Amino acid sequence: MAGRDISKEDALSRLDHKHACHILLYADSNAKLFGKIPIKHIVLMQMRFDGLLGFPGGLVKPSEESLEAGLSRELQEELGAAVPVTMDDYVSSHLAQSPPRLILHFYSKKITEAELLEIERAAVSNAVDHGLEVLGLTRVPLYTLRNGGGLPWFLSHSFISNSRAQLLEALQRLDLVSPQTLKEAVKKAEEMRH
Ligand code: GTP
Ligand code: MN
Ligand code: MN
Ligand code: MN
Ligand code: MN
Ligand code: MN
């Protein structure tokens, strides 16, 4: 989905725009799938009420709260856990192509595997939005199996707004998937979508 990236400063000067903040939470892991395929990293996304994949987060009101405080509030609602987000976790701001006058701020934050597990538990047992705005958290498969399973199939699903681009950009920038694996997964996903 098109649209364009803008600076945080430019974004915050647009008082007539709506602002939304979402976050990619991730952790390192030593777990192995089938006892042999290293998981390496865990990345969290969610199945939204509309059937699209996206990141936890939501609309914030810059006139009443900082972006980071607003995002933390949304995370409390959607994950049922306190996840303190700071300005250091900020990644980018994007002017959405549609709807008009919507700015999408993106964050990423590394946590421990134990903290991530606790968030997954809280998302079911404590989040007020569970089963409503959020149908469930999901981990992103970062490996590619010989038959194309894993990241390629995941990328072939449908994503909200530019969250798929946010995911791909973050996987590269944070070095969670090798450039070669990522490139091949994107290509395989395109073939699967056709
Ligand atoms: P309400 O509490 O019902 O208002 O929802 P919310 O505050 O949780 O808002 P939501 O998370 O749906 O985000 C607001 C808008 O941002 C959505 O309508 C989408 O256009 C967009 N959006 C949602 N999730 C993502 C995401 O992961 N990435 C990006 N880039 N945009 C998203
Ligand atoms: Mn939301
Ligand atoms: Mn919400
Ligand atoms: Mn909201
Ligand atoms: Mn809500
Ligand atoms: Mn790595």
Side-chain angles (χ1 to χ4, degrees):
M1 187 187 131
R4 65 184 172 90
D5 284 354
I6 59 175
S7 71
K8 195 183 193 189
E9 192 187 13
D10 182 1
L12 287 174
S13 72
R14 296 170 187 245
L15 303 176
D16 57 337
H17 284 53
K18 278 189 178 179
H19 294 258
C21 296
H22 295 89
I23 191 167
L24 180 153
L25 295 169
Y26 68 105
D28 290 342
S29 173
N30 290 320
K32 287 198 170 107
L33 175 64
F34 311 134
K36 61 179 180 195
I37 299 165
I39 299 291
K40 291 189 200 158
H41 312 285
I42 306 170
V43 169
L44 286 182
M45 290 193 79
Q46 65 186 21
M47 178 55 70
R48 294 162 40 90
F49 65 92
D50 55 13
L52 297 173
L53 291 163
F55 291 99
L59 294 167
V60 307
K61 282 225 161 72
S63 59
E64 295 170 14
E65 58 190 355
S66 68
L67 294 179
E68 293 76 23
L71 176 52
S72 298
R73 173 181 53 69
E74 280 290 339
L75 296 180
Q76 184 66 54
E77 293 169 9
E78 298 189 359
L79 304 177
V83 182
V85 181
T86 72
M87 276 166 26
D88 289 345
D89 306 318
Y90 171 78
V91 175
S92 61
S93 300
H94 184 88
L95 189 59
Q97 181 170 47
S98 77
R101 286 184 286 285
L102 172 65
I103 292 169
L104 301 163
H105 304 277
F106 189 56
Y107 290 74
S108 66
K109 185 180 168 74
K110 186 172 185 175
I111 56 179
T112 66
E113 187 172 15
E115 287 168 336
L116 190 144
L117 272 167
E118 194 45 51
I119 286 171
E120 288 180 322
R121 285 196 199 95
V124 173
S125 65
N126 197 45
V128 295
D129 282 341
H130 178 66
L132 300 170
E133 281 180 39
V134 183
L135 301 185
L137 282 188
T138 179
R139 298 182 180 198
V140 179
L142 301 180
Y143 44 80
T144 300
L145 304 175
R146 230 165 292 165
N147 66 0
L151 186 56
W153 274 121
F154 187 85
L155 292 174
S156 77
H157 295 312
S158 298
F159 292 73
I160 183 77
S161 192
N162 75 323
S163 61
R164 186 175 183 271
Q166 287 173 331
L167 172 66
L168 292 175
E169 192 274 329
L171 292 181
Q172 183 158 26
R173 183 175 41 82
L174 300 169
D175 196 25
L176 300 177
V177 176
S178 78
Q180 183 64 18
T181 303
L182 194 56
K183 199 174 145 207
E184 286 171 12
V186 169
K187 188 160 163 271
K188 282 206 187 91
E190 282 314 310
E191 292 161 11
M192 289 164 167
R193 278 144 81 103
H194 292 152

